[in-house]
Structure formats: structure tokens, C-alpha cells
Amino acid sequence: MADRRNDADAEIVRRVEWPEGVSRPVATPMQPSVVYAAESPDALDAQYEGRAEGYTYAREGHPNADVLARKIDQLEGLPGGLVTGSGMAAIGAVFLGMLKSGDHVTGGDQLYGRSMRLLQDDLPRQGIATSFVDCGDEDAVAAALRPETRMILLEVVSNPTLRVADIEGIARLARARGVCLVIDNTFTTPRGFQAFDWGADIVIHSVTKLLAGHSDATLGYVNARDAATQEAIRVAAATWGFTPSPFDCWIAERGLYTFPLRYDRAEATAAALADHLASLDGVRRVLYPGRADHPDQARAATLLRGRFGNMVSFELDGGRAAANALVRAMPAVPFAPTLGDIGTTLSHPATSSHRALTPEQRAALGMSEGFFRVSVGCEEPERLLAEFSAGVAAAAGAGG
Ligand SMILES: *Cc1c(COP(=O)(O)O)cnc(C)c1O
């Protein structure tokens, strides 16, 4: 009897053709291939020289990243965006693609924690000077600009105090001084804020948050108005290895299909929750850009044009004991330092995002032990409001 095992072993390592038919899949395929085979050296030449389209190696680009990037491009209103392995990778690619030793960067003084760290510790080690500035104050930003300032990095709505940056003033300044304006549009999303219309040169996202929307993919996005700048950023991302996983891109694309629905639902609930919290005994103040008592209400109305987002912050009358009681009384709302999930999440900046600050520094930012940030999700609004009522009542019972 012939032994067929050797033949089978020889065959098993060969790739097989994908079964094609006259029908096609409705869902986007997930393509994990790291490498792409070319038809011939001539064909590969044509690809490298831009005469033919084709992928070569996934770190340089792959179809699932491109499908997702084209979708986010539509939301931001500019073609040519790049999806990266995280929001921080997008910011890193901007810095590595554009800055050199001797440059200066100024950033908002309430940036996302890791962005803050990049500016505070990591860029200075590369010989890049940095500073922080109050983005609500155009004069302060003007004073922060130096002859060697290359870039301003800011977020439209700050975390967690939900202050609104003076984008009009800062964009005017940036244009006049030839400084690149980089807007992190994660919080506001393109549904809330059209950054390129307001003078952004570069827009970045943590796609991890609202765009993907289910806390199951870590991704970023970056796009620059100037094509040569975008190419420099793309090359930096490929060289430093900031490439996203095809699976993450695939699942984020699926999440993105419902982004407008999720955003609208969460935003409507956020507005209702803000008003509800403001009506409860034991709540000292509520911060929501759509409320008449918000310190930047007029600016928010201009920039966000009625789209005030899904984030609400509030401060309890009590301190840590009240904060513990509130979290324990609302077990259905995850106490987790993220935002943009399909479900509502609650974060406590004093023990998470802003724990590195001293109590005095937190107080200066208006962030006490009783301060919470809520990322409102898509659950049934009445029920969510009732859960917050229970949480605030428990906090009031716990005292200071
Ligand atoms: C989460 C976040 C980031 C970082 O994004 P990752 O995907 O976690 O790397 C940057 N900016 C803002 C405003 C964020 O919320």
C-alpha cells in the first residue's frame, strides 16, 4: 500500500485559492495577511513606482485599515487619512513625522493624560521644547508662541471639565504665525465638530472611543490638510511601526456603521441627564456644554452648532466617602476610565486620569474628590436617570 502521508504533508503547507463564486459577501472581509505576493518583479516595480495599486507588507498598509480610513475621511470631510494602532500612535506619528530637535510645541493645559505626558516628558528628551497653555484664552496662546513654535495641540472640549477652547481665535493666530494647528477631535467627534472647517491643519482621533464605540478595539486616525505633511506622517507611522491590527480595523468598521445612531441617542440622553443631575439635592454643579449655566456656553453654541455631545461632568457636595457611595450604589454603570462605549461609564478623575496631580492642582482645575465624569451611552434614558438618582441619594446619605 502506497504511503500517502508524505504527499499530504507536502501539500498541507501550500496556500489554497479562496473559493470564488458569482455572488459576493455583503460584509467586508477581514484580511489578516502580513505579506502580499506579486505576480512578477516587473509587477512589483510597477507597484513601488505607483503605476499599479497593490499591498506589499501589512506594516506599510493593509485593506482593512484603508476601508476604515476612507469611512472616517467621509466623516471629517477630507480624503487621505491614516488609521494607526491607537490614538496615541496617531499623535506619535504627527510628532515623529513633523518635528525636529529645536522645535517648540504648545499644548492645551487639560489635554488627555498621555498626550500631556508626551509633551511633558518625552518630547523634551528629544530636544523638542514644550509648554502648556489655557486654550480658552487667545491672548495666553499668543503669548505662548515662540519663533520656533511649530505646532499647537488641543482638544475642543477638555477632559474632564468640559471647557471649550477658543478655536476661532487660536486658528486665526496659527494661520497668521504659520503654526500647525492639530486638533484631537476624539471627544467632540466629526458629528459634533467639523475641525477642518474651523481651521485645523491636522485632525487626530482615538478611534477606540466613540467612533468604534464598543470598547473592543484600540485604534487611532490622523489626517492632514496638506498632502506632503500627511505623507510624512504616513511614512513615520510605517517606519516606527504604528500599524493597526486588521482585526481591530474590521471590528471598528462594524462599530462605525452605527456611530451616527449611537451618537444621537447618547447625546439626547446626556442633555437629559445633565438637567436631571442639576435638579438633585447633593449635586453641587453640573458641567454640560449645552446648558445655559456652562461657563463657555456661547462658544460651545457657535463651534458645536447644537451638538453638545455625550459627556457630562458633575460634582457631589461630599468628598471621597460620597464618591465611594455613589459608585457602589450604581453597579450597573461600569466605573471605568474610558469613554464612548455603547453603555454609560463613570470615571473619577481624582483616582484615575488626574491622580498624578496634587489635590491643590486638581482644585485649581475645579476637580474635587466629589467630581465625576460620565460618558453617556445608549441605554434606556429613564432607567439611567433613575440609577443616577439612586447613586446621588446614596452619596448624600454617606455625607462628606
Ligand atoms: C483615549 C484618548 C486618546 C488616546 O487614544 P488611545 O486609543 O487610547 O491611544 C487621545 N486623546 C483623547 C482625547 C482620548 O480620549
Side-chain angles (χ1 to χ4, degrees), residues 146-176:
R146 307 174 188 174
E148 61 277 17
T149 305
R150 275 295 301 286
M151 192 182 284
I152 303 171
L153 171 65
L154 58 82
E155 293 165 24
V156 184
V157 173
S158 72
N159 171 34
T161 54
L162 310 186
R163 297 300 303 260
V164 182
D166 180 4
I167 303 285
E168 282 183 293
I170 295 170
R172 205 165 37 234
L173 263 177
R175 212 164 29 244

Side-chain angles (χ1 to χ4, degrees), residues 196-267:
F196 288 116
D197 288 352
W198 290 97
D201 295 301
I202 297 179
V203 171
I204 73 110
H205 277 282
S206 170
V207 176
T208 314
K209 312 291 170 53
L210 284 138
L211 296 182
H214 298 74
S215 301
D216 52 12
T218 301
L219 291 171
Y221 169 88
V222 53
N223 204 354
R225 194 195 292 278
D226 174 59
T229 302
Q230 180 64 5
E231 178 59 11
I233 293 168
R234 192 194 63 74
V235 168
T239 304
W240 291 79
F242 296 160
T243 318
S245 130
F247 178 74
D248 279 0
C249 294
W250 179 82
I251 203 156
E253 178 203 336
R254 196 173 80 156
L256 195 63
Y257 288 117
T258 56
F259 161 67
L261 293 172
R262 287 186 281 105
Y263 193 79
D264 292 358
R265 163 91 169 191
E267 180 179 64

Side-chain angles (χ1 to χ4, degrees), residues 86-88 91 112 155 184 186-187 206 208-209 218-219 339:
S86 67
M88 290 316 298
I91 298 175
Y112 179 70
E155 293 165 24
D184 178 340
T186 300
F187 255 56
S206 170
T208 314
K209 312 291 170 53
T218 301
L219 291 171
L339 68 111

Side-chain angles (χ1 to χ4, degrees), residues 31-177:
Q31 179 50 272
S33 192
V34 171
V35 286
Y36 291 80
E39 184 259 321
S40 65
D42 278 352
L44 192 57
D45 258 351
Q47 235 175 279
Y48 275 119
E49 289 163 13
R51 288 178 283 115
E53 289 289 327
Y55 296 98
T56 52
Y57 189 68
R59 183 168 33 67
E60 311 281 325
H62 56 74
N64 289 103
D66 286 346
V67 168
L68 179 62
R70 297 299 76 77
K71 292 229 154 269
I72 304 175
D73 289 352
Q74 283 173 346
L75 294 172
E76 287 293 2
L78 186 74
L82 178 76
V83 169
T84 56
S86 67
M88 290 316 298
I91 298 175
V94 169
F95 289 160
L96 290 164
M98 293 186 66
L99 300 177
K100 61 179 187 325
S101 170
D103 287 342
H104 169 250
V105 177
T106 192
D109 60 5
Q110 293 187 47
L111 288 176
Y112 179 70
R114 284 277 160 194
S115 303
M116 206 103 174
R117 196 207 124 104
L118 249 180
L119 259 68
Q120 204 157 291
D121 302 335
D122 298 81
L123 290 185
R125 274 195 293 112
Q126 312 301 325
I128 296 161
T130 60
S131 60
F132 294 101
V133 67
D134 176 356
C135 286
D137 181 351
E138 183 184 348
D139 295 337
V141 176
L145 298 183
R146 307 174 188 174
E148 61 277 17
T149 305
R150 275 295 301 286
M151 192 182 284
I152 303 171
L153 171 65
L154 58 82
E155 293 165 24
V156 184
V157 173
S158 72
N159 171 34
T161 54
L162 310 186
R163 297 300 303 260
V164 182
D166 180 4
I167 303 285
E168 282 183 293
I170 295 170
R172 205 165 37 234
L173 263 177
R175 212 164 29 244
R177 302 281 288 268

Side-chain angles (χ1 to χ4, degrees), residues 264-286:
D264 292 358
R265 163 91 169 191
E267 180 179 64
T269 307
L273 177 66
D275 292 342
H276 179 67
L277 286 167
S279 76
L280 298 178
D281 286 338
V283 173
R284 184 175 298 161
R285 66 188 174 122
V286 174

